[in-house]
Amino acid sequence: VSDGAARFLSPDEVEWEGNEAGYQPFLSPADERAAAGLGAGDASALVDALADGERFVKAHVGLTRLSGVEYESFPTWNGLELALHADGDVSIDAEQRARLAHRWRQWLSSDPRPDRLPPA
Amino acid sequence: MRSEVQRRQSAADPAVVSERVPTPAPRELAPASDPASVLALQRGVGNRAVGKLLRARAGLRAPRLQRKLTATGDAAGFAAFANRVIAVQQEVVVSGSGEVSLRPTDIQGPPTPEAAELVRVLQLVIADTNNVSIEFIHGLTSTRASDARVLGGSFPQSKVDLDDEEARGTQGAVGVGMGVTGGALLVHEILEQYRKQAFSEDFDTAHAAALTAEGTAIGAPRGASTSRSVNATTDEVTTTYTYPDGRVVEVMWDVTANNISNVRRRVVRPGRGTP
């Protein structure tokens, strides 16, 4: 794992908002600083982290920022399916991580890299 | 000895008895020898006594006023913006305690689509017995960390950012048929909170219903919407709207620190029949 990816993939969880655009992720201040320091060389490590059920959400958020791809915010957040409940709790099914990892690998191996994450 | 009326009350549906024995006003009380009057007096005094006892046991001094829609935060700012959206026929009034109501005005004229939809949604929420409370904030000047997470609105925090809605304007200002407006988004946020607070709906369900109402207010559904990072601090959001006559309008804005600015609109394709 690259240093940048290791710093970014700290145990701090991603928090989610629901707003007019749809879903929006929020990182802790430390993760925000780490995200700002991510570089192209960290992409492979983030894709590898998609296999980890505890870290795949943050890895997906980091890749979305790093790549600069256009993405939707609703009904999924750049392909990530989640549920924001009325009481504020968030549910995310970790089973989807393999699907996301496949899409990011496709994106990473494309030349030129597409503006959007390839479809599942 | 029980009277005939008292036996009916104890044996039959009390509501039926009540219809047959109307409660007279105190000054019109008949002589105490009239069985119907005695019963009415007994029931009236008894009901008041029971009510007083129940309120005392519950620690209440008087019946509570039921509020259906309550505006907190900058409630006056909400009313001012809503009334610029509505403009004719009705106006929003917010009481000192934040209770929102609508009242007719003598300003005539046809409402815009967003005005008609805002009035409809407000009437829906106000008429419902469930309480809905929304905090209206100003994201541009707020120093609360939680407000920095509000973009237009916040589903979990039950907030609406009036600055974000102001940035998109009203149909009275930008014109009908020019895509999303702040009025349409106010409709969206109020309905979304209503669905959450009254029916405990999750975001995906409440947001979908809010999008439908927003589409009615705009006159066109929200089409494809994309975000992209312009730089480290700013995202650019682009949304397209396709009207029933084929007109396509693109609306773009910048989002910096979750505040909206630099709203741009362009007609991508004129509608059929447009010169």
Side-chain angles (χ1 to χ4, degrees):
Chain A
V1 179
S2 63
D3 287 347
R7 275 193 296 276
F8 178 70
L9 293 169
S10 71
D12 288 353
E13 287 191 357
V14 177
E15 295 182 2
W16 291 92
E17 263 284 349
N19 57 41
E20 66 170 41
Y23 297 105
Q24 186 178 15
F26 283 90
L27 302 172
S28 69
D31 283 346
E32 279 290 351
R33 288 191 293 274
L38 288 172
D42 298 313
S44 293
L46 291 175
V47 171
D48 289 344
L50 288 167
D52 185 338
E54 298 293 319
R55 300 190 298 174
F56 83 98
V57 173
K58 189 181 281 185
H60 179 64
V61 171
L63 281 163
T64 303
R65 287 203 185 184
L66 178 60
S67 65
V69 293
E70 294 180 354
Y71 60 92
E72 67 171 18
S73 299
F74 188 82
T76 74
W77 190 83
N78 196 23
L80 177 72
E81 296 174 0
L82 66 155
L84 175 56
H85 303 294
D87 62 4
D89 285 350
V90 176
S91 304
I92 301 176
D93 184 0
E95 292 297 312
Q96 63 186 304
R97 65 187 190 276
R99 193 167 62 247
L100 286 172
H102 174 71
R103 296 175 69 182
W104 277 116
R105 284 197 190 92
Q106 274 192 298
W107 180 84
L108 201 57
S109 61
S110 300
D111 187 18
R113 288 177 176 155
D115 292 337
R116 302 180 72 107
L117 195 56
Chain B
M1 191 176 82
R2 298 199 311 177
S3 72
E4 179 62 26
V5 173
Q6 284 173 308
R7 280 197 299 275
R8 265 209 317 267
Q9 184 183 26
S10 61
D13 181 356
V16 175
V17 176
S18 175
E19 285 179 10
R20 290 174 183 168
V21 189
T23 304
R27 70 179 61 171
E28 296 168 349
L29 278 176
S33 58
D34 175 6
S37 297
V38 171
L39 176 62
L41 182 62
Q42 181 187 36
R43 289 169 56 221
V45 172
N47 287 343
R48 282 195 295 274
V50 170
K52 188 176 178 182
L53 182 65
L54 290 174
R55 286 196 298 275
R57 285 182 177 175
L60 301 174
R61 289 188 175 177
R64 293 180 64 182
L65 180 66
Q66 188 170 25
R67 296 177 187 145
K68 313 298 171 45
L69 175 59
T70 303
T72 65
D74 186 9
F78 154 66
F81 182 67
N83 286 332
R84 281 201 285 118
V85 172
I86 296 171
V88 298
Q89 299 184 13
Q90 304 211 51
E91 67 179 354
V92 168
V93 179
V94 182
S95 73
S97 60
E99 186 176 0
V100 178
S101 59
L102 281 165
R103 72 180 175 198
T105 69
D106 57 4
I107 303 172
Q108 299 303 310
T112 59
E114 67 173 0
E117 188 64 2
L118 180 56
V119 168
R120 184 191 73 80
V121 168
L122 286 171
Q123 287 173 333
L124 173 73
V125 179
I126 291 169
D128 195 297
T129 55
N130 291 290
N131 289 329
V132 175
S133 181
I134 300 173
E135 181 180 355
F136 293 89
I137 67 160
H138 289 277
L140 286 173
T141 52
S142 173
T143 55
R144 292 190 300 184
S146 59
D147 289 352
R149 294 189 172 195
V150 182
L151 179 64
S154 165
F155 180 77
Q157 297 187 60
S158 305
K159 291 178 182 174
V160 173
D161 187 341
L162 289 170
D163 292 338
D164 288 343
E165 312 308 33
E166 289 272 9
R168 268 71 64 92
T170 67
Q171 286 175 340
V174 305
V176 175
M178 289 304 293
V180 72
T181 56
L185 291 166
L186 186 61
V187 167
H188 175 126
E189 298 300 338
I190 292 173
L191 187 68
E192 195 170 86
Q193 285 304 316
Y194 170 62
R195 303 285 294 241
K196 183 189 87 166
Q197 295 182 38
F199 306 112
S200 298
E201 288 184 351
D202 291 350
F203 179 70
D204 59 347
T205 308
H207 188 68
L211 285 172
T212 299
E214 176 191 309
T216 301
I218 295 168
R222 189 193 291 190
S225 185
T226 58
S227 303
R228 70 178 187 90
S229 295
V230 176
N231 55 48
T233 58
T234 302
D235 284 350
E236 180 187 74
V237 178
T238 305
T239 308
T240 55
Y241 299 86
T242 302
Y243 286 82
D245 68 351
R247 174 187 177 90
V248 178
V249 175
E250 190 177 78
V251 186
M252 304 168 77
W253 58 77
D254 294 342
V255 181
T256 305
N258 255 11
N259 289 309
I260 288 167
S261 63
N262 193 22
V263 179
R264 294 92 77 194
R265 302 169 191 272
R266 71 184 184 102
V267 178
V268 177
R269 190 173 68 212
R272 291 182 291 276
T274 302

